[in-house]
Amino acid sequence: SKDRAGTLRANLAVLDKADAVLTEAHISTLDQDLAALKAIVGDQDQAVITWGNALATRRETIAALRTNLKRLDAVTWVTTSVQA
């Protein structure tokens, strides 16, 4: 269990790098790793809290980018249809 916690912490350490580019699939995997680590060390562990916040921020960023893309797609569609 201690070895498993070490492996999970090593996986989650990527979240300590603000410039790390993470795909949604990677974020999903990290969510699972965080849940597994929480089960071992508890949800009051400082690293668990920090990584949980980092994952939430990454998901919010992706959601904001999606919203912006939808807005841009809508503008492109209107512009194209007006030109026709």
Side-chain angles (χ1 to χ4, degrees):
S1 183
K2 197 171 192 177
D3 287 347
R4 176 80 174 128
T7 300
L8 294 167
R9 286 181 189 279
N11 294 349
L12 289 159
V14 71
L15 293 168
D16 295 334
K17 301 178 185 120
D19 61 346
V21 177
L22 302 175
T23 64
E24 278 187 283
H26 197 176
I27 289 170
S28 180
T29 300
L30 291 171
D31 270 329
Q32 293 169 11
D33 287 349
L34 185 63
L37 184 60
K38 251 189 229 184
I40 296 168
V41 301
D43 59 1
Q44 298 305 308
D45 181 84
Q46 191 55 53
V48 166
I49 294 166
T50 301
W51 289 326
N53 291 337
L55 282 168
T57 300
R58 300 292 176 115
R59 282 192 296 273
E60 288 166 12
T61 300
I62 289 172
L65 289 170
R66 278 219 170 90
T67 299
N68 288 340
L69 285 174
K70 283 181 189 169
R71 199 174 298 130
L72 288 172
D73 285 346
V75 169
T76 302
W77 185 84
V78 168
T79 304
T80 306
S81 64
V82 167
Q83 290 173 348

